[in-house]
């Protein structure tokens, strides 16, 4: 998905006009670095959804360019709130689920190449809570429907 909203300031006679450029970019992680570098060099603020690559390098590129960006693997506010709550719980109650086993099943659109950032974040929280888990064990199922997403977490002792 690529959406571009153009915007800039200019004065025509005595009136000030505002034009805004905001790029919204949801891409495969193999393309994010080149695109982000381009946006930063051009000074274009952007929103990017990606789950792969070197996020620290991406954040550094944006910070060094003094550009504005929102970079997140998940844009749904309820999911973001859930992951934030999991992070709080993991930080406040480390080891609380020691001795438990974790199984993860998630659905994707047919073109998705990797485990979602949401699943990775939730698994990282459970690891802080004392559950060991190998990320390669995530079971992914693929649907032809673009808007269907399921993340199933089973925690058992």
């Amino acid at each position: 998905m690529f959406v571009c909203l153009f915007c800039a300031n200019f004065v025509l006679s005595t009136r000030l006009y505002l034009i805004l450029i905001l790029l919204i970019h949801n891409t495969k992680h193999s393309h994010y670095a080149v695109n982000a570098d381009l946006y930063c060099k051009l000074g274009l603020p952007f929103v990017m959804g990606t789950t792969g690559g070197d996020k620290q390098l991406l954040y550094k590129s944006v910070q060094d360019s003094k550009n504005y960006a929102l970079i997140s693997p998940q844009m749904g506010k309820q999911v973001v709130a859930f992951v934030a709550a999991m992070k709080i719980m993991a930080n406040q109650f480390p080891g609380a689920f020691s001795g438990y086993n974790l199984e993860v099943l998630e659905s994707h659109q047919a073109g998705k190449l990797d485990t979602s950032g949401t699943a990775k974040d939730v698994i990282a929280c459970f690891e802080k809570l004392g559950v060991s888990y190998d990320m390669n064990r995530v079971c992914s199922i693929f649907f032809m429907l673009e808007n269907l997403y399921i993340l199933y977490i089973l925690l058992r002792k």
Side-chain angles (χ1 to χ4, degrees), residues 120-146:
K120 290 175 184 177
D121 286 347
V122 171
I123 291 166
C125 291
F126 275 109
E127 287 176 331
K128 278 187 172 181
L129 288 163
V131 179
S132 62
Y133 189 79
D134 177 4
M135 194 66 69
N136 295 320
R137 291 186 46 229
V138 172
C139 181
S140 295
I141 56 175
F142 300 93
F143 293 110
M144 295 308 290
L145 300 171
E146 289 291 320

Side-chain angles (χ1 to χ4, degrees), residues 27-152:
T27 187
K28 294 180 181 175
H29 58 81
S30 59
H31 301 107
Y32 85 90
V34 173
N35 294 333
D37 284 343
L38 175 64
Y39 305 152
C40 288
K41 285 177 184 165
L42 295 174
L44 300 173
F46 64 95
V47 176
M48 182 176 282
T50 186
T51 58
D54 185 345
K55 286 196 180 69
Q56 296 309 318
L57 181 62
L58 181 59
Y59 297 152
K60 184 175 179 348
S61 296
V62 172
Q63 191 172 32
D64 290 350
S65 72
K66 299 187 180 0
N67 197 17
Y68 295 97
L70 170 64
I71 302 163
S72 176
Q74 178 54 256
M75 301 293 175
K77 67 180 179 181
Q78 295 87 351
V79 176
V80 171
F82 171 75
V83 172
M86 287 293 300
K87 287 179 179 180
I88 291 167
M89 186 170 72
N91 288 329
Q92 291 187 1
F93 305 104
F97 290 110
S98 293
Y100 283 79
N101 296 312
L102 184 66
E103 296 297 327
V104 178
L105 167 74
E106 70 170 346
S107 66
H108 294 291
Q109 67 275 17
K112 180 89 168 120
L113 299 176
D114 59 352
T115 302
S116 72
T118 302
K120 290 175 184 177
D121 286 347
V122 171
I123 291 166
C125 291
F126 275 109
E127 287 176 331
K128 278 187 172 181
L129 288 163
V131 179
S132 62
Y133 189 79
D134 177 4
M135 194 66 69
N136 295 320
R137 291 186 46 229
V138 172
C139 181
S140 295
I141 56 175
F142 300 93
F143 293 110
M144 295 308 290
L145 300 171
E146 289 291 320
N147 294 326
L148 180 63
Y149 178 76
I150 300 167
L151 176 60
Y152 174 78

Side-chain angles (χ1 to χ4, degrees), residues 2-10 17-24 42-45:
F2 186 87
V3 177
C4 179
L5 174 66
F6 178 80
C7 218
N9 284 324
F10 65 92
Y17 293 88
L18 174 67
I19 299 174
L20 169 69
I21 297 177
L22 173 64
L23 297 166
I24 301 174
L42 295 174
L44 300 173

